[in-house]
Structures are given as structure tokens and as C-alpha cells.
Amino acid sequence: MIRPRPARWFEILAARDDATIALEALAATGAVELEARAGVALPAALADLRPGLAEFAELASRYRPYWPATRDAPSAFPESPAATLERSLASLRAWAADAEPAIRNLQRCGSERDELGLWRDALLDFGESPIDFAHLAGAGPVLHARLLVYPADAVPELPPGTIVRNVRIDASAPRQLAVLAVGRAEDVEALARQAALFKGRMHEAPSWFAADAGETASRIAARLEALDAEARRAAQALEALHAKHRLPRALADADRLQWLIRNVSALESGEHFCWITGWTSDLDGSRLAEAIERSGARSLMRFAPPSPEAKAPLLLANPAWARPFEVFSRAMGMPSSNEADPSALLAVAVPLMFGYMFGDVGQGLVIAGAGFALRRRFPIARLFVAGGLAAAVFGVLFGSVFSVHAFPALWVAPLDAPLTILIVPLAGGAALLTLGLALNALEAWWRREFTAWLATDLGYAVAYLGILAGFLHPAGFVAAAAGAVAFCAGRAAIARRAVAALTAIAALAERLVQILINTLSFARVGAFALAHAGLSSAIVALADAAGHVAAQALVLVAGNLVVLALETLVVSIQTTRLVLFEFFTRFLTAGGRIFRPLPAPPSLTQESAR
């Protein structure tokens, strides 16, 4: 559990024409990382797909909004990738030729609908107006009329004599400034150029506007209804063309080949067979075997030992309750095969630190409830479930419920014993750092360097613990001195030079100062617990000063919301800092290779979208 496990090497011999199907099936498991032998490139049968896929990308950039949102399952019968792509492109080309009139009709309807919607919203803001809208479209040649739409932050310069109405249109969209400009042709054209500089737009009035604004609005509504009906007919025509040209299947096949070229950079292949190799997190191989069998790909699979020079990606092996805390190890990278994964230890230490700093029953339960509600959408929220429950437990020990001392503290009220509140996390920090030193010893055992650890780092650990014990009993300092002598002697013995003992003194002094400072850093846990208690007392004092019951309740609610918003962030940052910079530096360098599974194939992402 505490030591990362290497992924398992697998090899699949598949019919060349079935390679795409086999790779898609493997990717769907989420348990495969491909790795080909050195010097192997993409076979010509796949590399030659790039021009066709470039054409597919060009078609997608133009027509994707008009393609069906759902896809059929990709073709499962054996076929060369080139033949599959050509068949898909032929369907797409034929569909594009037939669909062009309907698409142009949809675009025209959409453009006119947007234009009319703009005028409708503008006219609503004009209200009663002396302007004869029937003459707007026919204005000229001396007098011109235009509707100019500017971004909200634009400050246009309007020439004297120009008739202007400022309106706010479409309240649901970002605010814009619409100006109905009626004036001399040169003035209106100057405004149009200015609008273009502001990235605005110019709109001409339709020829069928009426003199009355209400009648014009009615005509706009009727025209919009007609455009909606026309757009529905065009969309139905496109749906019929989708079925006629079997577009969902063609798109699924092309999407799969595009996914393949983007994610498979090398594949060993011959005239009839291809060799798919890599690593899997499916250590017993059952999921891979089932996926390949279900796909129908003609293939043989085996799990052989990897080559001696191969560096396997590593997998963390934690029980479900510890997996959320893997985020701390992954923040550093991946522990190597000879390094410990501390996630199980952090599943205890992190909630204790968080809860100690945030000791309140009510606030802790709110944090835990929020984490539980958001755990599926944001996996990191699972950390707050454990942290919130720990905060509720410490709230019982401190006697605090939503900042109020609702019952006697089961242990101690923080403000009544500040020294105790500070000393306890110092002891806990020393215990955690000692665990880090123990993990370093375990890693030395895994590396078969335990003898060297006994000769040097054991003395360092004894010196550290002796200094801590010396504050309780003078004999501790004697043990610390003995540990320091053992460390320096061990360094000299390993180097086989007496002078090495002198450099060891400097190294030991630096390391001891560093770990002692790291130990003192855990005092911040107690300091934040005191700060939390002080802020809670201030909230209660303000509530008491409010006098009225309703005002007191409002102050308590507002105060607790501020505490939840502010301290959740601050306490989370402090906990993370103590883990990453104080604890991890004792034993973790994160030199392992991260397992990066093949991205999910389009067929799987389409299914999840539905």
C-alpha cells in the first residue's frame, strides 16, 4: 500500500486492419499507456491518413455546426484505415454538396432573425417617437438613417445636428449601446466609420417598416415567426440528408481515425500484422482481455517481462479512503519505485491539522456537507469531508458551535489555555517529521542502502530526537551529542577519510537547524486555532452588542459565513504548506514516472455526452 507498484507490460499481436479497433478498445478501458520500441515510427498505412484527415478537419471547421450531435458506433468490420477514411470522406463530400442549399438557407434565416431581433429590441426602447419609421429605409440621398450598435464601453463622438436616441437592447446579452442616427449623409457615414473603429456594427432599416412603431413591431414579430418556420424546414431537410448519406457512421469512423493519429505516435507494423505494446494498470489483465474480445479484433495478447532498460510507469496502491489524499503526492510528481507513498498517513494527519485549526462543530459539519455534495463534481472536495468531520470533533473538544460556546469544552477552550494549544501541534509536528525520517529509513532498505543509513542518518535522527527530549530531560542532550558523533564518524568511515568528519559537522548542523525550524513551523497550527477562537469570540461579542434578537442572529450568520469563506482557504493553504514543505522534504523526491493512460476514444466520449 505504501510503496508504488509498477504498471504491467503487455504485448498484442493484431491483424493490421484491426489495429484501429483494438486500440480503441484498449483506450476505452482507461488502463493502457502505449510504448513502442525505440526507433519505431507510425506505419505508412496510418501516416498516409494525414492528408485525408486534414480534409476532414477542413470540412469540420465549416460544417460541424450542421452535423448531427450524436454518432453511430464506428464500423466494426475489418478494413484498412485508408479505405475507411476514403469511404467516410466520400459520404461527407456528397452530403456537403446536397446540404449546401439548406445550410445557406439556415444561415440566411439566422442572420435575418438576428437583425430583426436587434431592431425589435431597439424599437421597444424608443417607445413613443416622432420618427416616421416608414421613411428610415428610404432616406436619402441628402438625409440618411442608420442604427449603429457600439460595445457598452464605447464613447462615440456624435456630430452636432444629428438626431440620436440612446437605447439599451437585449437585457439578457452583454450590454450594448444602440444609436439611431438620422442626419446628413456624410455625418452618418462618419458615424458608421467610427462604429467600425469601436468594433461596432451598422444596420440599415428594412424597406417594409411602417410609420407607427407598434405596427412595425407587429410586422417584425410576423416575419420572425415566418423565419422560424423556414429554419425548421431547412433543419428537417438536413436531418433527411444525414440519414441518406449515413453521416453519423461516417463521422464516427473519421473521428476514430483522427483520434488515432493524434494519440498514437508509434506502432510497429508489418504487411499483415501489427505489434501493440505498452503498460497497463490492469495488473491481472482481465479488463484488457475482455475489451479486446468484445471489440472483435483478431489478436493475441500476452503479458511478458519488459526489457531490462524499460522504465515502468508507477501506480499508487491505496484503499478507497486514502485515495483522495493522493493529490498531495501527485502535486510533487510521482514517488519512485523506491520511495514511499504517504497518502495513507496523510489521510490521518491532514484532517487532524485542518480540524485543529478549524475547531467548531457547526462550521465543521457545514464544510463536510459541502464537500460531500460536491465530491463527484470536484474530487478534491472529498478532502473537505474528512477535514470538516475532524473540525466538528475538535469543536466538541473546544466547546464551540457556530462560534458560540454552547457547552463546556470536553478538553480545553483555546483562549483559556493558549500555551497548551500551541504546544500540542508542536508535538504532533515532531511526530510527523519523525515518521518522515522513518520513511527515509524504509526507502534506504528498499534501495539496499540500509547499512549506510545506519552509519549516518540514524545518528542524525537520534540527534534530532535527543534535542527535542532535552527540553524535557537533560539526558536528551547527551543522546543528541552521541547521535551527532555517530553521524560524523559514519560519514568519515564511508568516505574512508578522517577529514570527512569535519564536513559532516557542517552538514549535520545545517540539517538539524532545518528540521528544527520545520518543527517550529507546526506552531502555526496552534496559532491558527487561537486565531479562529479569537475571531469566534469577536463575532459573539458583536452579536451581544447588537441587542435585538434578529440583529444578533444576523451578526452570527454573517460572521460564520465570513469565517467559513476566509478560514477554509487559509487553513487549506497552511495544511498544504506543512505537508509539502515540512513533511515531504524528509523522504520524497518524486522521481517516478507517471502513468498516462491513452485518452478516451470518441465513441466513449460521445456515449458519455448522451
Side-chain angles (χ1 to χ4, degrees):
M1 180 175 71
I2 202 170
R3 188 175 185 180
R5 297 181 297 182
R8 191 177 184 186
W9 179 261
F10 73 91
E11 299 174 347
I12 295 177
L13 181 66
R16 192 183 69 172
D17 289 347
D18 290 4
T20 303
I21 299 172
L23 287 166
E24 182 183 43
L26 292 173
T29 65
V32 165
E33 178 181 346
L34 297 182
E35 183 175 318
R37 293 186 306 170
V40 174
L42 203 63
L46 293 178
D48 292 344
L49 297 178
R50 288 194 173 97
L53 289 174
E55 181 183 352
F56 172 66
E58 184 178 349
L59 289 168
S61 66
R62 182 175 181 184
Y63 294 113
R64 188 175 293 278
Y66 307 100
W67 285 347
T70 58
R71 306 279 196 268
D72 287 348
S75 302
F77 54 85
E79 185 180 38
S80 69
T84 300
L85 182 57
E86 182 52 40
R87 177 170 47 79
S88 298
L89 288 175
S91 295
L92 290 171
R93 294 187 199 107
W95 173 88
D98 290 347
E100 194 64 42
I103 290 173
R104 285 198 298 267
N105 198 20
L106 274 174
Q107 291 172 338
R108 179 187 57 78
C109 290
S111 177
E112 188 176 350
R113 187 166 49 230
D114 291 344
E115 183 87 5
L116 290 176
L118 177 66
W119 278 102
R120 177 197 58 198
D121 294 335
L123 292 177
L124 287 176
D125 278 339
F126 289 149
E128 292 297 326
S129 171
I131 299 175
D132 185 346
F133 292 97
H135 291 98
L136 288 181
V142 176
L143 197 65
H144 281 203
R146 297 289 187 273
L147 181 65
L148 306 174
V149 180
Y150 297 85
D153 56 352
V155 184
E157 296 180 5
L158 305 177
T162 303
I163 302 174
V164 180
R165 280 296 183 92
N166 296 333
V167 297
R168 180 176 181 175
I169 59 176
D170 194 3
S172 62
R175 186 177 180 275
Q176 301 177 83
L177 179 68
V179 176
L180 181 62
V182 181
R184 295 180 304 168
E186 55 269 25
D187 292 336
V188 173
E189 291 303 322
L191 280 177
R193 290 192 296 272
Q194 184 187 90
L197 291 175
F198 281 111
K199 298 183 179 180
R201 308 185 307 276
M202 180 184 72
H203 303 272
E204 296 186 5
S207 59
W208 42 265
F209 268 10
D212 178 67
E215 185 179 349
T216 298
S218 298
R219 291 185 181 184
I220 290 176
R223 181 57 185 160
L224 286 173
E225 187 176 345
L227 287 171
D228 288 341
E230 194 172 349
R232 284 194 298 270
R233 289 192 295 271
Q236 291 169 357
L238 283 180
E239 289 290 338
L241 291 174
H242 295 165
K244 175 184 175 182
H245 295 286
R246 302 187 66 185
L247 202 63
R249 173 61 58 85
L251 290 172
D253 287 341
D255 281 338
R256 180 170 64 183
L257 291 173
Q258 188 177 61
W259 165 84
L260 180 70
I261 294 299
R262 286 176 177 174
N263 295 287
V264 180
S265 58
L267 190 67
E268 191 169 358
S269 178
E271 183 178 356
H272 300 292
F273 299 97
C274 72
W275 197 245
I276 304 172
T277 56
W279 307 92
T280 178
S281 58
D282 180 27
L283 298 183
D284 64 0
S286 59
R287 290 170 58 198
L288 265 61
E290 182 183 348
I292 290 293
E293 183 178 356
R294 191 168 54 247
S295 72
R298 297 165 293 178
S299 61
L300 295 173
M301 181 170 59
R302 70 168 185 164
F303 295 92
S307 62
E309 63 272 12
K311 183 180 180 182
L314 298 173
L315 309 168
L316 301 181
N318 289 298
W321 53 269
R323 284 176 200 149
F325 296 87
E326 292 177 357
V327 66
F328 292 98
S329 297
R330 296 186 187 277
M332 297 285 290
M334 171 62 70
S336 68
S337 58
N338 290 324
E339 290 184 320
D341 167 29
S343 300
L345 295 175
L346 295 179
V348 176
V350 167
L352 284 177
M353 287 189 285
F354 185 96
Y356 195 93
M357 289 185 275
F358 218 128
D360 187 282
V361 176
Q363 294 167 3
L365 292 178
V366 169
I367 293 171
F372 184 80
L374 298 172
R375 71 192 187 285
R376 298 189 186 278
R377 186 172 182 182
F378 304 104
I380 198 171
R382 299 173 190 269
L383 299 178
F384 290 99
V385 176
L389 293 176
V393 171
F394 277 104
V396 173
L397 297 177
F398 295 158
S400 176
V401 181
F402 286 120
S403 302
V404 177
H405 289 288
F407 52 85
L410 193 61
W411 173 38
V412 64
L415 295 181
D416 292 343
L419 191 59
T420 301
I421 294 298
L422 287 172
I423 289 176
V424 168
L426 280 175
L432 187 62
L433 296 183
T434 302
L435 272 177
L437 296 177
L439 291 177
N440 186 39
L442 180 62
E443 292 171 356
W445 177 272
W446 289 339
R447 294 191 303 267
R448 300 181 180 179
E449 298 173 356
F450 191 64
T451 302
W453 186 90
L454 288 175
T456 56
D457 283 357
L458 176 60
Y460 161 63
V462 170
Y464 168 62
L465 294 174
I467 292 173
L468 296 180
F471 291 102
L472 302 177
H473 193 281
F477 293 118
V478 176
V485 170
F487 177 87
C488 296
R491 282 286 185 93
I494 291 175
R496 297 182 181 179
R497 290 184 301 125
V499 72
L502 298 178
T503 59
I505 294 174
L508 177 64
E510 180 184 4
R511 292 177 66 180
L512 283 175
V513 168
Q514 184 186 59
I515 196 170
L516 289 171
I517 291 174
N518 291 157
T519 305
L520 287 174
S521 291
F522 283 86
R524 72 184 65 216
V525 175
F528 276 99
L530 292 174
H532 178 83
L535 186 57
S536 296
S537 296
I539 292 171
V540 172
L542 288 173
D544 290 341
H548 194 276
V549 174
Q552 289 178 338
L554 182 61
V555 170
L556 281 176
V557 170
N560 278 277
L561 288 176
V562 169
V563 168
L564 284 168
L566 179 63
E567 291 199 19
T568 300
L569 176 63
V570 173
V571 169
S572 299
I573 292 173
Q574 294 304 321
T575 303
T576 302
R577 184 193 184 284
L578 290 171
V579 168
L580 297 184
F581 299 108
E582 269 69 31
F583 180 48
F584 279 1
T585 52
R586 308 274 75 81
F587 64 93
L588 186 61
T589 60
R593 174 180 166 185
I594 298 174
F595 179 75
R596 304 184 188 279
L598 201 58
S603 57
L604 193 63
T605 55
Q606 285 288 331
E607 183 178 342
S608 63
R610 290 196 294 270

